[in-house]
Amino acid sequence: MTIQHNLGFPRIGAQRELKRALEQYWRGDSEFAELEQLGQRLRAQHWQQQAAAGVELLPVGDFSWYDQVLDMSATLGVVPQRFHWFGAEVDITTYFRMARGRAPGGEPVNACEMTKWFDTNYHYIVPELVAEQKFKLSSNKLFNEVAEAQALGFRVKPVLLGPLSYLWLAKGKGADFDKLQLLEALLPVYGEILQRLERSGVEWVQMDEPILALDLPQAWRTAFEAVYTRLQSRGIKQLLTTYFGPLRDNLTTLCRLPVAGIHIDAVRAPEEVAAVLSWLPNYKVLSLGVVDGRNIWRSDLAQLVQWLAPLKAQLGERLWIAPSCSLLHVPVDLAHEVKLEPEIKSWLAFALQKLDELAVIKRALCEGVTAVAEALDHSARLCQARKASRRIHKTEVKARLEAFDEALTERDSPYSVRSVVQQAWLKLPLFPTTTIGSFPQTAAIRQIRQQYKQGGITPAVYQASMREEIAFAVGAQEQLGLDVLVHGEAERNDMVEYFGEQLEGFAFTQNGWVQSYGSRCVKPPIIYGDVSRPAAMTVEWARYAQSLTKKPMKGMLTGPVTILNWSFVRDDQPRATSCLQIAFALRDEVADLERAGIKVIQIDEAALREGLPLRQADWQHYLDWAVRAFKVTAAVVADETQIHTHMCYSEFNDIMAAIAAMDADVITIETSRSDMELLEVFERFHYPNGIGPGVYDIHTPNVPTIAEMVLLMQKATAHIAVERLWVNPDCGLKTRQWPEVDAALQRMVAAAHSLRQEYGYQKVG
């Protein structure tokens, strides 16, 4: 019998219940016991929903208070010294201090670094390892949750991040060392985990090794066989899972591992299934990820059944089916979308609907297509209706792309000329200060926006309220003494959703929430058709903000690559084509901002790095079209208009040439969590333009000292000429509170003044 299973389920809750409970606990408005009760209810609900959808082996361990990689660090006792952990079970205070630098009952401390999970918009907490790292089983969370599920009568499949992926994703601290040398100390703890799970009656364990989709050095590839030979156990079976991309040169490594079964991503790499079958021993289970765990489009079930039927005949009960990866990356339930346009809704499938699709596929494979003929026919009709829909294609958009000329991507003059022209009118001091764009989204702002959206207040009342908020933000910046101001983005719900709501070709959900990190959730837009801009989106807000100050005001836009990468993107044309459509729409907005007198324009590309393919051989193609899209957006302006961009929380060292090719006048990047580690790339790469390495980590409530910020900038001066350095936070400030923002920015401005004094800057005029 083919088994239907699942690799992981969204943990935040269909209505973001976990988010609200976490933030209530962090504020000190509830006890951890209340948070635990909520978590227990959510887990039980999610297990029940999956079981009802036909999942036979339920994932356990996919639930997390913050992040599954951090959970693994807690389980293994990997806690950096600065958290003053003394070797007992990792408590919730230590856990949250590692995640966010602060927790109820704990002193503030520098949080662990956070970065993107492969090529997704999910962020994980980076483990910190030292050469003499000790590992010790230090958390019972997984075992307690297994017992919970078993007590409810469910058949479980615990989920573990495999030892090699854990080490690969970690960062070594202190003296350089080979992380593979830690395997000898690490594997006994994994062995202990497996033994405890075996004693609890677990039959299958899911070992996630997503690094098998990456380019791996030979030593790492070789290590797989030795590791899984040591982790073999007679009493428990291991399903070795990989996802997010093709295996390529790692294919035979995976197939030869001494495990009971393997899972591969047959959505991202369907062409590899035949090769895997040719290498697969006749005793192993093959789990195929046949439903897309990364996107929200309905599957063509009839087509999938037709493809899988011969595989079922060949493998029999050794064929398992699942989503391609954890469903963490999609919303929970389409049924909550009561306002979504019915035609568009009919094209979609969220987590629960994807499990329903798998149930239909399984029944077709086990009982024959006649048993599910109606469901297969319904699926085929909806897929065909989407292809034929008039909503999708716009002649004028396609014509503009067909007329594309590379000259549209180039500014009039090189940076060396532009920077002189810009400074002549900007007259900025050394170490100019600015912020990334957003200011705190207070409860009052969210309430006004919600009232307007629901029709409770008139457009005039809404606009007046937003103008008050803009005036407050501008006044606060004037008082702080910032050099280049922003309007604060009070009118924006989200940096992508705000623009998508005003562009054609986008659809939006009410409850399509996806976890980004911790309690931070996003509601990605759905790009279903050709994209165009019917009218200006930001011009009047920026014009009003500029009228309130004599200082330069930044116009704020989200760039085309970020809008693409932070959306659910149509799968019926290349992503590059969709990105260029967005770029042309934004180009029109940039031109309108410049005509309105806004001569500093920031085009954020926070998600440039996360869209990078996992394999280096595929990088250049992506970078070529991504950089082209940014330049199409920006290159419409004259030399005196200064273009900024922003990128955050990713590893940029390997794509600095592409970032330089974007030719932004100023780039701001995250560096404070990594202690300016990113800037080491400038020892090898001469970045030619202005740069603002963030000195203030906005993802923690901690307020840095002036001395800490000065020290970070001093580190930056070792790599970047002081004339090209800016001083700014790591990211936007919308998730913070005004008191901490005010305190942090006061210190940031003071740090800039200290640096100017240190470098002998004399104000002119």
Side-chain angles (χ1 to χ4, degrees):
M1 178 73 73
T2 291
I3 284 183
Q4 174 191 348
H5 70 112
N6 188 22
L7 274 62
F9 196 77
R11 60 180 70 119
I12 207 75
Q15 304 298 326
R16 295 180 295 164
E17 296 94 328
L18 183 58
K19 167 192 172 63
R20 295 188 177 90
L22 281 168
E23 293 174 353
Q24 186 178 25
Y25 171 69
W26 292 338
R27 290 193 305 267
D29 294 339
S30 66
E31 299 295 326
F32 183 61
E34 297 173 69
L35 183 61
E36 282 188 305
Q37 289 172 2
L38 183 279
Q40 191 170 2
R41 289 197 301 273
L42 277 178
R43 290 191 294 271
Q45 177 184 333
H46 295 163
W47 291 327
Q48 182 57 54
Q49 288 174 316
Q50 292 174 81
V55 176
E56 297 159 89
L57 281 174
L58 293 168
V60 177
D62 54 339
F63 179 89
S64 177
W65 297 121
Y66 203 96
D67 162 53
Q68 70 269 12
V69 182
L70 178 60
D71 290 355
M72 201 71 231
S73 293
T75 301
L76 299 171
V78 179
V79 181
Q81 285 187 349
R82 66 183 179 277
F83 296 99
H84 302 297
W85 175 69
F86 299 109
E89 183 167 354
V90 175
D91 60 290
I92 197 65
T93 298
T94 300
Y95 179 91
F96 283 136
R97 290 175 78 223
M98 291 173 67
R100 56 194 300 272
R102 183 180 294 185
E107 291 297 318
V109 64
N110 290 336
C112 294
E113 187 177 343
M114 179 170 66
T115 197
K116 297 293 175 71
W117 175 250
F118 295 84
D119 59 348
T120 76
N121 187 33
Y122 179 79
H123 302 64
Y124 73 93
I125 300 298
V126 181
E128 297 178 19
L129 302 174
V130 295
E132 302 301 322
Q133 184 72 50
K134 306 297 182 186
F135 300 95
K136 173 189 172 186
L137 187 54
S138 303
S139 172
N140 288 305
K141 176 180 177 294
L142 175 64
F143 310 114
N144 292 340
E145 291 176 6
V146 166
E148 267 182 43
Q150 289 175 328
L152 293 170
F154 296 120
R155 186 184 176 198
V156 302
K157 172 170 55 69
V159 179
L160 290 172
L161 180 61
L164 285 159
S165 290
Y166 180 79
L167 289 179
W168 181 273
L169 295 169
K171 278 196 173 180
K173 296 293 182 178
D176 288 341
F177 65 95
D178 181 0
K179 290 184 289 186
L180 284 177
Q181 75 184 36
L182 298 177
L183 280 170
E184 195 61 34
L186 177 61
L187 290 182
V189 184
Y190 269 88
E192 187 178 351
I193 293 169
L194 292 174
Q195 288 170 10
R196 284 192 59 176
L197 291 173
E198 181 183 343
R199 289 197 298 270
S200 70
V202 167
E203 180 185 2
W204 282 92
V205 171
Q206 176 181 317
M207 297 288 276
D208 285 356
E209 291 284 10
I211 65 167
L212 284 165
L214 305 179
D215 296 314
L216 295 178
Q218 185 58 47
W220 285 78
R221 194 179 298 123
T222 302
F224 268 92
E225 185 171 359
V227 164
Y228 282 93
T229 298
R230 284 188 60 177
L231 291 179
Q232 287 184 94
S233 171
R234 291 183 179 178
I236 197 165
K237 299 174 184 176
Q238 295 179 52
L239 180 72
L240 199 293
T241 60
T242 187
Y243 37 80
F244 295 155
L247 292 159
R248 296 183 185 171
D249 51 348
N250 298 324
L251 188 147
T252 56
T253 298
L254 174 61
C255 292
R256 290 171 171 172
L257 291 180
V259 293
I262 63 173
H263 169 91
I264 64 171
D265 187 336
V267 172
R268 287 285 180 100
E271 70 282 357
E272 289 191 338
V273 172
V276 168
L277 279 172
S278 69
W279 281 98
L280 195 73
N282 59 14
Y283 65 87
K284 282 187 184 176
V285 162
L286 175 61
S287 168
L288 294 180
V290 295
V291 170
D292 194 348
R294 292 278 299 274
N295 214 331
I296 43 70
W297 303 108
R298 178 184 286 272
S299 302
D300 187 333
L301 299 183
Q303 187 179 70
L304 284 174
V305 169
Q306 184 178 19
W307 175 55
L308 289 169
L311 303 179
K312 168 65 175 175
Q314 180 178 349
L315 292 169
E317 63 182 18
R318 291 193 295 122
L319 175 65
W320 292 12
I321 56 173
S324 59
C325 61
S326 170
L327 295 174
L328 173 71
H329 308 288
V330 295
V332 176
D333 190 0
L334 186 63
H336 293 294
E337 301 306 322
V338 296
K339 293 185 178 180
L340 192 60
E341 174 65 38
E343 182 183 11
I344 295 173
K345 184 176 179 179
S346 72
W347 302 339
L348 308 180
F350 290 177
L352 288 174
Q353 287 71 45
K354 290 177 183 295
L355 297 179
D356 289 338
E357 289 184 330
L358 285 169
V360 172
I361 295 170
K362 178 192 170 180
R363 193 174 174 201
L365 294 175
C366 295
E367 302 176 28
V369 293
T370 55
V372 288
E374 185 177 345
L376 296 179
D377 182 60
H378 180 65
S379 170
R381 288 199 311 271
L382 291 176
C383 290
Q384 183 56 41
R386 179 185 165 210
K387 291 178 183 177
S389 175
R390 294 182 179 180
R391 290 176 176 272
I392 293 177
H393 306 290
K394 292 185 173 62
T395 304
E396 64 276 14
V397 174
K398 295 189 183 305
R400 193 173 187 184
L401 263 64
E402 288 170 0
F404 173 77
D405 187 325
E406 287 292 338
L408 296 173
T409 67
E410 299 301 327
R411 299 283 296 271
D412 292 338
S413 304
Y415 171 77
S416 58
V417 174
R418 300 194 310 262
S419 61
V420 174
V421 175
Q422 291 161 13
Q423 181 60 13
W425 75 266
L426 281 168
K427 297 181 172 57
L428 294 172
L430 202 62
F431 297 104
T433 57
T434 190
T435 65
I436 305 306
S438 60
F439 276 105
Q441 291 265 320
T442 63
I445 290 174
R446 293 194 298 270
Q447 184 178 18
I448 288 290
R449 231 180 19 234
Q450 186 68 14
Q451 287 176 340
Y452 175 59
K453 198 169 187 178
Q454 295 175 347
I457 57 175
T458 65
V461 170
Y462 171 72
Q463 290 169 10
S465 298
M466 292 298 103
R467 286 190 167 210
E468 287 179 13
E469 296 292 347
I470 290 170
F472 177 80
V474 172
Q477 293 170 86
E478 290 267 21
Q479 189 170 2
L480 286 162
L482 291 164
D483 298 306
V484 175
L485 311 189
V486 298
H487 80 289
E489 303 181 17
E491 80 286 0
R492 303 187 188 183
N493 45 7
D494 175 83
M495 65 181 290
V496 174
E497 186 174 5
Y498 174 80
F499 291 97
E501 286 177 337
Q502 300 179 78
L503 295 169
E504 292 188 348
F506 283 77
F508 294 86
T509 62
Q510 290 175 277
N511 298 286
W513 297 103
V514 177
Q515 185 181 21
S516 180
Y517 63 87
S519 68
R520 171 72 169 150
C521 301
V522 294
K523 193 149 55 71
I526 299 166
I527 303 175
Y528 68 85
D530 290 339
V531 177
S532 60
R533 186 197 74 143
M537 302 178 286
T538 67
V539 174
E540 288 309 311
W541 299 119
R543 196 201 312 266
Y544 173 69
Q546 184 65 83
S547 74
L548 300 174
T549 180
K550 293 182 179 179
K551 291 187 174 182
M553 176 64 59
K554 278 197 290 189
M556 300 299 305
L557 303 176
T558 302
V561 184
T562 296
I563 289 178
L564 183 89
N565 284 336
W566 285 357
S567 299
F568 291 122
V569 184
R570 58 190 291 192
D571 57 358
D572 61 337
Q573 69 179 15
R575 291 172 67 87
T577 302
S578 296
C579 195
L580 192 56
Q581 290 179 355
I582 301 168
F584 273 115
L586 293 173
R587 180 183 177 93
D588 296 340
E589 185 73 11
V590 170
D592 283 348
L593 282 168
E594 186 180 49
R595 280 192 287 269
I598 305 301
K599 296 300 181 69
V600 181
I601 301 172
Q602 182 169 309
I603 306 168
D604 286 340
E605 285 295 15
L608 177 76
R609 176 62 174 81
E610 78 179 44
L612 195 68
L614 299 180
R615 296 291 191 143
Q616 195 163 352
D618 304 324
W619 284 8
Q620 197 57 54
H621 174 66
Y622 165 78
L623 290 170
D624 286 347
W625 62 254
V627 170
R628 181 186 298 117
F630 178 87
K631 294 175 75 173
V632 164
T633 303
V636 69
V637 299
D639 284 352
E640 59 264 30
T641 297
Q642 189 174 78
I643 295 293
H644 290 227
T645 191
H646 171 67
M647 300 176 188
C648 58
Y649 295 98
S650 288
E651 300 293 337
F652 297 118
N653 295 8
D654 42 14
I655 60 165
M656 284 306 302
I659 293 173
M662 293 167 67
D663 198 26
D665 296 301
V666 180
I667 177 175
T668 52
I669 53 176
E670 177 277 325
T671 49
S672 66
R673 269 206 183 197
S674 57
D675 196 29
M676 293 284 167
E677 189 178 279
L678 182 145
L679 294 182
E680 292 174 5
V681 70
F682 295 106
E683 295 176 3
R684 306 182 300 276
F685 182 86
H686 176 69
Y687 186 76
N689 300 9
I691 185 166
V695 297
Y696 160 33
D697 179 10
I698 69 90
H699 292 86
T700 171
N702 297 343
V703 176
T705 66
I706 297 171
E708 288 170 336
M709 296 194 210
V710 168
L711 180 61
L712 287 174
M713 288 305 297
Q714 287 171 335
K715 289 183 178 181
T717 62
H719 307 286
I720 306 290
V722 294
E723 295 80 10
R724 293 189 287 116
L725 280 170
W726 287 62
V727 182
N728 46 262
D730 273 350
C731 202
L733 300 166
K734 66 180 290 184
T735 61
R736 304 267 54 96
Q737 301 297 315
W738 267 109
E740 66 197 52
V741 166
D742 189 64
L745 293 182
Q746 281 186 41
R747 295 178 185 180
M748 189 185 83
V749 171
H753 283 290
S754 176
L755 289 160
R756 290 168 195 167
Q757 186 175 17
E758 178 183 348
Y759 286 88
Y761 170 74
Q762 297 286 328
K763 184 176 181 180
V764 179

